[in-house]
């Protein structure tokens, strides 16, 4: 059973623009070269394979928005974090590719 919420890209962008999300809440799980290509300013880079070693850096007292390129890795990270007791997990559907058109940039 899924224990996180999928958030639509438009809603995610709206929340970011309204200033309701801090960088420690938006976790980008892509790799460094993907981040270098394009990233949202209000995010923290934490590549998927580094999550186990950096899990203590993640806040447990507020919702976490997990984003990747297309939504596959972010869903896997949501599953992993849920299994370790995290709540309030938000998977950004379609990842950066889906967010792009709503945030005013192109992403391959």
């Amino acid at each position: 059973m899924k224990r996180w919420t999928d958030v639509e890209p438009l809603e995610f962008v709206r929340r970011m623009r309204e200033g309701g999300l801090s960088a420690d809440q938006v976790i980008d799980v892509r790799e460094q070269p993907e981040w270098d290509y394009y990233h949202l300013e209000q995010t923290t880079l934490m590549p998927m394979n580094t999550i186990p070693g950096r899990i203590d850096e993640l806040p447990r007292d507020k919702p976490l928005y997990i984003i990747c390129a297309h939504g596959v890795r972010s869903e896997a990270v949501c599953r992993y974090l849920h299994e370790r007791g995290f709540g309030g997990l938000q998977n950004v559907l379609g990842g950066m590719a889906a967010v792009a058109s709503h945030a005013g940039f192109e992403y391959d």
Side-chain angles (χ1 to χ4, degrees), residues 39 41 45 60 86 92:
H39 63 273
E41 292 302 317
L45 176 63
R60 290 181 178 261
F86 281 81
V92 181

Side-chain angles (χ1 to χ4, degrees), residues 55-88:
I55 199 165
D56 291 337
E57 297 175 36
L58 297 171
R60 290 181 178 261
D61 61 340
K62 49 185 148 180
L64 291 175
Y65 291 77
I66 312 298
I67 190 167
C68 64
H70 298 281
V72 177
R73 286 173 283 182
S74 59
E75 185 170 338
V77 169
C78 283
R79 182 177 302 109
Y80 178 84
L81 292 175
H82 167 71
E83 291 169 354
R84 276 131 192 98
F86 281 81

Side-chain angles (χ1 to χ4, degrees), residues 32-48:
Q32 186 73 53
E34 295 170 289
W35 169 269
D36 293 342
Y37 175 69
Y38 185 84
H39 63 273
L40 299 167
E41 292 302 317
Q42 296 168 263
T43 60
T44 297
L45 176 63
M46 195 175 290
M48 187 169 122

